[in-house]
Amino acid sequence: MTQLAPAPRPDQECRSTAAPLPPALPRKDPITRLPILILYPHNRCNCRCTMCDIWKITTREEITVDDIQQWLPQWQKLGVQRILLSGGEPLLHSQLREICIILRHAGIGISVHSTGLLLERDADLLAAFVDDVVVSLDGPEEIHNQVRNIPNAFGKMARGLSTLRSVAPTLGLSARSTVHRANYPHMRRTVAAARQLGVERISFLAVDVATDAFNRAEGWDDEKIGDIALRADDLPRLAAELDTLEREHGDDFARGFIVESPEKLRRRLLQYYTALQGQGELPPVQCNAPWVSSVIETDGTVRPCFFQPPLGNLHEAGSLEAILNSPEAIQWRRGLDTRRDAICRQCVCSLTLRENATDA
């Protein structure tokens, strides 16, 4: 197991009984320490979610085993401790087992972000090589199936999680829920669904409507944004749902089953959607992601995070270090103020990785 344990933990900085948080990893240039790498091994997805366009990709592309073997020495030189397999659905990769074997032999921990549809099929693979699995949960069963646009998506995920728990009792299982117009009134039922699924914890985040991430090269027009993001007349109901969630699930907050504190959920959801409606300021963002992590997309494109523009391509530059520490990349990071940058200010999943971090 790597030093970066995979499972998300309670947001202690908002809890009155919390010990002081360790310091954030410094924003150093050139980058010599990169604990986390997010990898898109496969470019397609097996869901058709309303808030994502990855499923619209019509070509099939994979990062190859040869790519991994070629890039691995540079990752080790940069001190990569954990790789998050994301995408798209990483379990669609035709040689995922071989990739996991290579990473494990290199001493790199593996986390998987999945739709949950293939967990039952690939339970043995996940049990053998992966530290934790994060599933996307969009609400109680009927809402989840509606958002995913896949019949019985919830049932398939439930069977897969049950199988995983039986074959790998110590495997970390958690859920992440993206909150938008189709599911925001059901947050309490989403927590109940997470308990039904047997995961250890659940986190919530807002939907990204402002960038070209998730196969949105041209972004979304105002009509599409209005269908996905909360509108002004939705905000009172969201506020009431958050209030009731805090009142009825105090123990879940206290024990960290709900990862965020009530205060953080109000910032992350209510303040964010209120600001999108022009009725307030966006919540402040503290983030060191561009200095401690990178995203590698299926075609070799390297981004400093999910949402900022690409820095280069591994097939052209030859190494991750060459891209991250190019004069242009260093100049970009040195000029990046996450409190004022337009993309950072609208970020829905910022990262502050800390010394002796307990989560990845």
Side-chain angles (χ1 to χ4, degrees):
M1 179 68 70
T2 62
Q3 293 180 0
L4 289 175
R9 301 297 178 192
D11 177 28
Q12 293 187 358
E13 68 180 314
C14 294
R15 302 180 193 280
S16 60
T17 59
L21 287 172
L25 290 178
R27 303 178 180 184
K28 287 186 176 180
D29 278 306
I31 291 174
T32 59
R33 179 185 180 190
L34 195 79
I36 299 175
L37 196 57
I38 297 99
L39 193 66
Y40 295 176
H42 195 284
N43 71 328
R44 300 188 71 180
C45 189
N46 51 8
C47 284
R48 301 169 63 86
C49 299
T50 57
M51 67 288 188
C52 176
D53 288 342
I54 291 176
W55 59 271
K56 295 180 180 179
I57 296 173
T58 57
T59 58
R60 175 172 174 168
E61 191 171 7
E62 295 183 335
I63 290 177
T64 68
V65 171
D66 288 344
D67 289 334
I68 299 294
Q69 291 174 328
Q70 176 185 346
W71 298 335
L72 182 61
Q74 277 293 325
W75 298 351
Q76 292 175 300
K77 183 179 178 181
L78 288 168
V80 172
Q81 296 173 265
R82 176 159 301 281
I83 286 182
L84 169 62
L85 302 177
S86 186
E89 172 53 68
L91 297 182
L92 289 171
H93 197 287
S94 64
Q95 292 184 293
L96 190 61
R97 178 177 292 273
E98 289 79 2
I99 288 176
C100 289
I101 290 172
I102 293 170
L103 297 177
R104 270 306 194 196
H105 283 174
I108 296 175
I110 304 171
S111 300
V112 171
H113 192 182
S114 175
T115 64
L117 299 183
L118 299 177
L119 296 181
E120 185 174 25
R121 186 197 73 178
D122 292 336
D124 289 340
L125 182 155
L126 295 168
F129 299 107
V130 171
D131 298 311
D132 74 307
V133 175
V134 183
V135 296
S136 297
L137 176 62
D138 297 300
E141 183 168 6
E142 74 280 8
I143 301 298
H144 181 83
N145 293 344
Q146 173 188 334
V147 171
R148 296 271 133 183
N149 279 308
I150 297 293
N152 200 30
F154 187 93
K156 293 176 181 177
M157 179 165 61
R159 289 195 302 273
L161 288 169
S162 177
T163 301
L164 275 177
R165 183 59 74 206
S166 65
V167 301
T170 62
L171 183 69
L173 299 177
S174 58
R176 169 168 281 192
S177 182
T178 301
V179 178
H180 46 82
R181 286 204 77 225
N183 64 6
Y184 81 92
H186 308 288
M187 292 182 65
R188 284 169 290 160
R189 295 182 64 204
T190 304
V191 173
R195 286 206 173 281
Q196 176 185 346
L197 291 170
V199 298
E200 299 161 12
R201 52 189 62 87
I202 180 172
S203 62
F204 292 94
L205 70 160
V207 67
D208 169 59
V209 297
T211 73
D212 63 357
F214 312 117
N215 192 40
R216 302 192 303 251
E218 305 300 325
W220 277 341
D221 58 27
D222 290 343
E223 182 179 0
K224 177 67 173 180
I225 292 173
D227 289 339
I228 301 298
L230 271 65
R231 302 173 184 174
D233 56 2
D234 295 318
L235 299 176
R237 188 172 180 183
L238 173 62
E241 181 70 12
L242 290 171
D243 288 345
T244 309
L245 182 69
E246 179 180 10
R247 185 170 61 252
E248 295 182 358
H249 291 268
D251 188 53
D252 287 330
F253 281 112
R255 294 187 299 104
F257 183 76
I258 301 175
V259 172
E260 297 82 14
S261 67
E263 293 83 1
K264 185 169 184 177
L265 282 184
R266 289 189 178 91
R267 291 198 308 271
R268 177 174 279 190
L269 299 176
L270 184 59
Q271 185 177 349
Y272 172 82
Y273 283 122
T274 299
L276 289 189
Q277 292 299 322
Q279 299 181 16
E281 293 293 323
L282 286 161
V285 172
Q286 294 183 346
C287 181
N288 59 4
W291 291 267
V292 301
S293 66
S294 288
V295 175
I296 299 177
E297 298 179 354
T298 314
D299 64 356
T301 295
V302 175
R303 292 178 183 262
C305 66
F306 289 107
F307 306 114
Q308 290 286 355
L311 298 174
N313 189 288
L314 284 172
H315 296 297
E316 299 168 2
S319 76
L320 184 58
E321 184 178 25
I323 294 173
L324 296 182
N325 290 330
S326 69
E328 296 79 10
I330 291 175
Q331 182 179 11
W332 176 81
R333 285 193 300 271
R334 288 178 175 172
L336 179 64
D337 183 346
T338 60
R339 298 166 299 176
R340 294 180 174 84
D341 180 81
I343 293 176
C344 292
R345 291 198 67 209
Q346 297 189 71
C347 181
V348 297
C349 57
S350 58
L351 169 72
T352 302
L353 194 67
R354 301 180 180 276
E355 297 284 357
N356 304 316
T358 56
D359 70 285

